[in-house]
Amino acid sequence: MSGSVIRLKPFYYIHVLDNNANVTTVETGPQTFTVMDHQTVVLKETPMIIVPPRNYCIISNPVSRDSDRNVITDSHGQVKLRHGDEEIRFEQDPFPLYPGEQLYGKVSPLQVVAPLTALKLRAIRDFTEAKISYKAGDEWLFYGPGTYFPRVEVQVVEIVRATIIGPNQALRLRAKKEVTDRRGVNRQTGEEWIIKDEGAYIPDVNEEIVKTESAVILTDKKALQLRATRTFIDAYGIERKAGEEWLITVAKAEKHIPDVYESVVGEVSITTLNSRQYSVVLDPVDTKTKKQQLGTRLLIKGPHSFFLQPGERLEAGIQDVHVLDSEEALLLRAREGFKDGNTERAPGDRWMIYGPGDYVPPVEVEIIEKRRAIPLDENEGIYVRDMKTGRVRAVTGSVYMLTSYEELWDKELPPVVEDLLQTDADQSSGIKHSSTSGPRVKSRLVTYRIPHNSAVQIYDYKAKKARVTFGPDLIMLGPDEQFTVLNLSGNTPKTPKILNVLALLLGPRFSTDVVIVETSDHARLSLKLSYNWFFEIDKKNQDQAALLFSVPDFIGDFCKAIASRVRGSVASQSFDHFHKYSADLIRKAVFGADEAGNIRNRFHFKSNNLIITNIDIQSVEPVDQRTRDALQKSVQLAIEITTKSQEATARHEAERREQEAKGRLERQKIDDEAEAEKARKNLLSLQAASAAVESTGTASAEAKARAEAAKIEGESNVTNAKLKAEAQSTKASVQLKILQNEQETEISHKKAWNVLEVKKADELAGIEASKFKSIVDAIGADTLKKISQAGPEMQAKLLSGLGLKSFMITDGNHPINLFSTAAGLIGSSQ
């Protein structure tokens, strides 16, 4: 660059280093600068810094200036810099950067602070502005609207926006440190307060917004319950103690914003009582002293509306006035001593209020229950217990109202009896028949309908005696009576304690059992036996009736007894003998035989008068598999022997019949041969006669034969000709008829086809006509008229626009007589 010339434009500058003095200077334009040999351009042409209005820039390492804003240089002529410092320059003439100065960032517009906002500023070094001294770390707000001019000593922390406090709202603030708020009140660090003024609020740097509180709107039916978190004086000038609770109602204010020391417990709805309601308030608050009376009760009758004070509660909520009809009563008990009219009531006294009427109990009275007269039919009843004596009795067949010292007594029954009262069981089949529905009311008299031809035993534990009742009948249990439950064997083979029954069926019935027996030759067999039985009893004799229940499981008892007799009888018999005479052996073993050897027809159990009348052997099966296989093999062998015997008998019968048929056939042959010889003899005689006749009449016969043959041949030719003619005629007539039928069929088909085509054409024409009519109606007559005129009018306008009087269009393939055409055109123009 030595010896070169630099032409600097206006507002441009360069840095030139003097190598001799080692000093860098600034040269600004406009000028023509000649670079000497000892000079070096260290910064080429650079535009000056231009700061337009309402903008600023930050210069790092700025030059030092004196009081007159002149640049200070050292003894060598080098400008002095404030190293590490910054300088903010606002609107001014374009200026160059001295050696060492740097532009920090870029030229930026001044920050405009909008309304309802503020800049939170922090001092990063000590300075004084407008006679106000700021220390490093101080914070303050620059409120808008306005333009903020930055300083190097001040840092912008954030933009603070105003919080809008709307109607029925408040702002809850907290002090970050000791501060004086806008109302001039000194606030301690951590203290909270409420701002209720509507509008925009920008919190100070030492204030922070906790939350926005919304007012609770109070009505005639809603109140607000509050609790004090510390002792203070509320907005209504009332001192509140810490932990105290109170209500704010519409009588004090239409709306309430909770204070910082008020905690909202909840909203309380009004309690309204109509003329037929009442309520009891527990632990009521005294309206005069405003103190809660713990342990007391207050009766409030309707019509009335009130708010429950804090700590108060309703006993059983809102209660209806007790309305009693003529069949109802209330059982009452005194909570404490009081005077009921002219009667003195001691604590614990019980009495009853009878209807008709209504009743509201005072606070000294407790309602135990509402009672109603119980209507009882002749077959219905209840158990009543006297609370003073403890005696239980049954009341039946009347309308009964319990007295004040009486109560319904629950009669407990064993679970098995409860189940049997719901479903009774049949001993033999095990089928359960539903007798009642729903659970039993234990205070109701226990009743049981005894089925027909059955017996039930009832034991009175107080009188220590039993009674047997026969059905059909209705049993009503007394307070000290219980049913006798029979545990009977069931299933096949019999299993003990399968059936539990109350009613013992007297029969006739049948039971089935399986008995395992063993014959004398050690064949084990399974016998399925069915017994018919009944009880032979005199129903009027209670001693005999008691015998029915002397054997708890009579089915298992008689099945075991019969099985024992059958096993003993079969054990002395062989398998083959038992297999042949099983029915007689079993009946004889069970029923026994009389002196004459006849089998008896009944088996009597004297312990309970049970009679077995018949035994049916339903099946006999071997128990051992080998015995079963042997028996099956013997049966198969017997069947095979029987089959072979029948086959041999049939074969012998067939052979006998075959021999008889052969004898008849031989005899017939002989008779036929004799007849044939006689016929042969007659034939020979006839042959001799015919030979004689033949020899004499051969010629005449031949002549006659020839004549007859000629005649027959001619007649046959004539007949053939007639037949051929008839056949041709028949064939022709048939073909003609077929052709006629085909033509008639084709004509009828054509006629029908034509009719259909005509109908189709008519319908299509109708459709097209209706379609065209619909289109025309839809488009409209005026529209069609305009459409029809649009083409010619447009052509006329086009021709008038082109200036053509007439024209002709041709495809170019056909010649045109232009002479005549021209003549015509000329003639038309003339």
Side-chain angles (χ1 to χ4, degrees):
M1 295 293 294
S2 62
S4 62
V5 177
I6 299 176
R7 292 176 176 82
L8 290 176
K9 299 178 182 178
F11 305 116
Y12 278 78
Y13 69 95
I14 59 174
H15 288 175
V16 178
L17 174 63
D18 188 346
N19 294 323
N20 294 331
N22 201 18
V23 174
T24 304
T25 59
V26 177
E27 298 292 338
T28 61
Q31 68 168 314
T32 301
F33 181 76
T34 302
V35 181
M36 309 304 285
D37 292 338
H38 65 278
Q39 292 178 335
T40 303
V41 178
V42 295
L43 180 64
K44 296 182 179 180
E45 295 179 60
T46 302
M48 294 183 182
I49 304 299
I50 299 175
V51 181
R54 299 189 63 79
N55 283 263
Y56 74 97
C57 65
I58 300 175
I59 304 299
S60 299
N61 304 320
V63 297
S64 298
R65 298 178 185 272
D66 57 14
S67 59
D68 295 331
R69 303 298 296 169
N70 295 321
V71 178
I72 300 175
T73 59
D74 58 8
S75 58
H76 303 287
Q78 181 70 44
V79 296
K80 290 185 178 181
L81 302 177
R82 289 182 290 158
H83 294 283
D85 199 356
E86 291 180 344
E87 181 181 297
I88 297 178
R89 298 178 185 177
F90 300 98
E91 175 188 359
Q92 56 181 295
D93 294 335
F95 60 89
L97 291 178
Y98 286 93
E101 288 185 335
Q102 293 180 358
L103 178 64
Y104 180 79
K106 60 181 180 179
V107 178
S108 303
L110 293 174
Q111 186 172 2
V112 177
V113 182
L116 303 182
T117 59
L119 293 180
K120 184 177 181 180
L121 307 178
R122 180 184 297 136
I124 57 178
R125 67 179 73 172
D126 298 343
F127 73 98
T128 301
E129 181 181 18
K131 298 181 181 181
I132 299 176
S133 298
Y134 295 96
K135 300 294 182 180
D138 286 349
E139 292 182 346
W140 67 97
L141 292 179
F142 178 83
Y143 296 95
T147 302
Y148 173 69
F149 291 88
R151 295 177 59 99
V152 294
E153 300 90 352
V154 179
Q155 175 187 6
V156 178
V157 179
E158 62 179 348
I159 297 176
V160 180
R161 289 178 172 81
T163 300
I164 305 301
I165 304 175
N168 299 328
Q169 286 185 338
L171 207 59
R172 187 170 183 173
L173 303 178
R174 181 188 295 122
K176 295 182 180 179
K177 65 178 185 178
E178 289 79 3
V179 65
T180 301
D181 64 8
R182 297 182 185 180
R183 297 177 181 177
V185 180
N186 294 325
R187 303 292 182 182
Q188 300 298 320
T189 303
E191 183 180 352
E192 294 183 0
W193 68 97
I194 293 291
I195 300 296
K196 298 182 181 180
D197 300 331
E198 295 182 6
Y201 184 85
I202 300 176
D204 193 69
V205 292
N206 296 322
E207 299 174 352
E208 62 176 348
I209 298 175
V210 179
K211 64 177 179 178
T212 300
E213 297 280 359
S214 297
V216 179
I217 306 300
L218 304 177
T219 64
D220 294 338
K221 298 181 180 180
K222 184 174 71 173
L224 188 64
Q225 183 175 347
L226 304 176
R227 180 188 296 116
T229 59
R230 56 172 288 184
T231 302
F232 75 106
I233 298 176
D234 64 7
Y236 309 103
I238 302 174
E239 183 180 5
R240 304 294 183 183
K241 301 296 183 180
E244 180 183 352
E245 294 185 5
W246 69 97
L247 286 184
I248 301 295
T249 62
V250 72
K252 289 185 178 180
E254 294 181 353
K255 60 183 179 180
H256 181 79
I257 299 176
D259 199 79
V260 293
Y261 303 120
E262 293 176 351
S263 174
V264 177
V265 178
E267 295 180 356
V268 179
S269 299
I270 194 169
T271 303
T272 302
L273 304 177
N274 60 29
S275 59
R276 306 300 298 168
Q277 291 178 334
Y278 73 95
S279 63
V280 177
V281 179
L282 301 179
D283 303 331
V285 175
D286 191 348
T287 56
K288 296 181 179 180
T289 63
K290 302 299 182 180
K291 300 297 182 180
Q292 192 170 10
Q293 299 173 343
L294 299 177
T296 61
R297 305 165 78 245
L298 175 64
L299 175 65
I300 301 177
K301 298 180 181 180
H304 188 64
S305 296
F306 62 95
F307 289 102
L308 283 177
Q309 297 295 325
E312 293 181 344
R313 64 186 188 277
L314 293 181
E315 182 184 43
I318 298 175
Q319 304 179 57
D320 294 329
V321 174
H322 298 277
V323 179
L324 305 175
D325 60 20
S326 59
E327 299 295 329
E328 291 181 334
L330 288 177
L331 177 60
L332 307 177
R333 180 169 55 200
R335 298 176 183 270
E336 56 187 72
F338 74 102
K339 188 174 183 180
D340 183 12
N342 297 326
T343 306
E344 290 289 339
R345 302 289 186 186
D349 281 354
R350 297 162 64 102
W351 72 98
M352 295 186 70
I353 297 293
Y354 296 93
D358 54 13
Y359 181 73
V360 177
V363 294
E364 299 87 1
V365 176
E366 174 189 4
I367 298 177
I368 299 176
E369 64 178 354
K370 177 188 281 189
R371 289 181 174 179
R372 187 174 184 84
I374 304 173
L376 301 173
D377 195 8
E378 294 180 357
N379 297 330
E380 295 178 334
I382 56 174
Y383 298 107
V384 179
R385 178 177 175 267
D386 192 327
M387 300 175 62
K388 292 183 177 181
T389 62
R391 190 175 68 89
V392 180
R393 60 191 178 92
V395 179
T396 60
S398 63
V399 179
Y400 188 77
M401 172 70 78
L402 296 175
T403 64
S404 58
Y405 285 96
E406 286 183 344
E407 63 179 358
L408 293 176
W409 181 73
D410 292 340
K411 182 175 178 60
E412 298 292 340
L413 296 176
V416 62
V417 176
E418 293 280 5
D419 295 339
L420 292 176
L421 287 177
Q422 299 294 325
T423 55
D424 195 7
D426 186 341
Q427 302 98 314
S428 62
S429 63
I431 301 175
K432 294 188 175 181
H433 308 283
S434 178
S435 58
T436 59
S437 59
R440 181 180 68 89
V441 180
K442 295 184 178 181
S443 60
R444 284 280 179 172
L445 199 66
V446 179
T447 60
Y448 181 71
R449 301 182 185 275
I450 306 175
H452 176 70
N453 198 25
S454 61
V456 174
Q457 186 182 50
I458 300 171
Y459 186 79
D460 189 340
Y461 285 90
K462 188 174 182 180
K464 295 183 180 180
K465 65 178 181 179
R467 59 186 175 94
V468 177
T469 305
F470 295 93
D473 198 356
L474 178 67
I475 296 177
M476 303 174 70
L477 283 187
D480 301 310
E481 292 181 336
Q482 291 289 346
F483 290 103
T484 299
V485 181
L486 294 177
N487 299 320
L488 304 179
S489 298
N491 296 336
T492 302
K494 288 293 178 281
T495 304
K497 297 182 180 180
I498 294 298
L499 298 177
N500 297 321
V501 295
L502 297 178
L504 176 62
L505 302 179
L506 302 179
R509 310 285 293 176
F510 73 91
S511 298
T512 304
D513 193 14
V514 175
V515 180
I516 305 298
V517 299
E518 185 175 355
T519 61
S520 60
D521 48 2
H522 305 292
R524 291 174 57 82
L525 303 175
S526 174
L527 306 181
K528 188 174 183 180
L529 306 178
S530 179
Y531 317 118
N532 290 354
W533 54 267
F534 71 94
F535 286 98
E536 190 174 49
I537 199 74
D538 183 6
K539 296 182 180 181
K540 297 180 180 180
N541 190 339
Q542 281 293 322
D543 294 335
Q544 290 188 12
L547 295 177
L548 293 174
F549 295 88
S550 61
V551 181
D553 184 7
F554 72 93
I555 293 180
D557 186 64
F558 79 72
C559 286
K560 290 178 182 178
I562 293 176
S564 176
R565 291 194 174 199
V566 171
R567 280 193 291 267
S569 176
V570 174
S572 61
Q573 306 294 330
S574 64
F575 175 74
D576 292 336
H577 187 267
F578 174 74
H579 192 267
K580 292 179 182 180
Y581 309 103
S582 57
D584 294 337
L585 290 175
I586 292 175
R587 290 177 59 84
K588 186 175 181 180
V590 175
F591 297 128
D594 55 12
E595 293 79 1
N598 298 324
I599 299 175
R600 297 189 179 92
N601 57 1
R602 56 189 291 162
F603 180 25
H604 183 210
F605 289 88
K606 296 181 180 180
S607 59
N608 57 353
N609 290 328
L610 177 66
I611 305 298
I612 307 298
T613 59
N614 188 24
I615 296 180
D616 179 23
I617 304 174
Q618 295 183 349
S619 65
V620 178
E621 295 181 358
V623 177
D624 190 9
Q625 183 64 33
R626 291 180 298 176
T627 305
R628 186 182 292 110
D629 295 340
L631 180 60
Q632 186 175 3
K633 185 181 292 185
S634 63
V635 172
Q636 291 178 353
L637 184 60
I639 294 172
E640 184 177 356
I641 291 172
T642 304
T643 304
K644 289 182 178 180
S645 175
Q646 292 176 354
E647 289 179 355
T649 303
R651 185 170 57 254
H652 293 161
E653 182 66 21
E655 290 177 355
R656 185 183 64 79
R657 292 182 179 179
E658 184 180 1
Q659 292 296 330
E660 291 179 354
K662 285 182 179 180
R664 288 196 298 270
L665 180 59
E666 291 295 333
R667 184 175 178 182
Q668 186 65 34
K669 283 183 178 180
I670 295 172
D671 293 340
D672 291 343
E673 288 178 357
E675 292 295 329
E677 289 297 332
K678 290 181 180 179
R680 188 178 293 110
K681 179 180 179 181
N682 293 332
L683 177 59
L684 290 175
S685 61
L686 292 174
Q687 286 179 351
S690 66
V693 173
E694 182 181 1
S695 62
T696 57
T698 300
S700 59
E702 289 180 355
K704 290 179 180 180
R706 282 195 295 270
E708 190 69 25
K711 180 181 178 181
I712 292 170
E713 184 177 0
E715 291 176 355
S716 64
N717 290 332
V718 172
T719 303
N720 287 335
K722 289 180 179 180
L723 292 175
K724 286 182 179 180
E726 291 177 359
Q728 289 295 333
S729 176
T730 303
K731 183 176 181 182
S733 63
V734 170
Q735 290 179 350
L736 179 60
K737 189 174 182 179
I738 292 172
L739 181 59
Q740 184 179 0
N741 291 335
E742 290 178 352
Q743 291 176 352
E744 290 176 354
T745 304
E746 186 176 359
I747 289 170
S748 61
H749 177 266
K750 286 292 184 181
K751 287 182 178 180
W753 180 264
N754 293 333
V755 170
L756 291 175
E757 289 292 333
V758 170
K759 186 178 180 181
K760 178 181 178 182
D762 290 342
E763 292 178 354
L764 290 176
I767 292 171
E768 290 295 331
S770 61
K771 177 182 177 183
F772 183 74
K773 184 177 182 302
S774 300
I775 293 173
V776 170
D777 293 340
I779 296 175
D782 295 338
T783 306
L784 290 175
K785 180 180 177 181
K786 291 180 180 179
I787 291 173
S788 61
Q789 293 175 356
E793 289 179 356
M794 184 179 68
Q795 292 176 1
K797 290 181 180 180
L798 289 174
L799 289 175
S800 63
L802 294 173
L804 299 176
K805 299 298 183 178
S806 64
F807 64 94
M808 180 174 60
I809 299 174
T810 179
D811 57 357
N813 295 325
H814 300 83
I816 302 173
N817 188 353
L818 298 178
F819 295 99
S820 60
T821 302
L825 292 173
I826 293 170
S828 62
S829 64
Q830 292 175 355

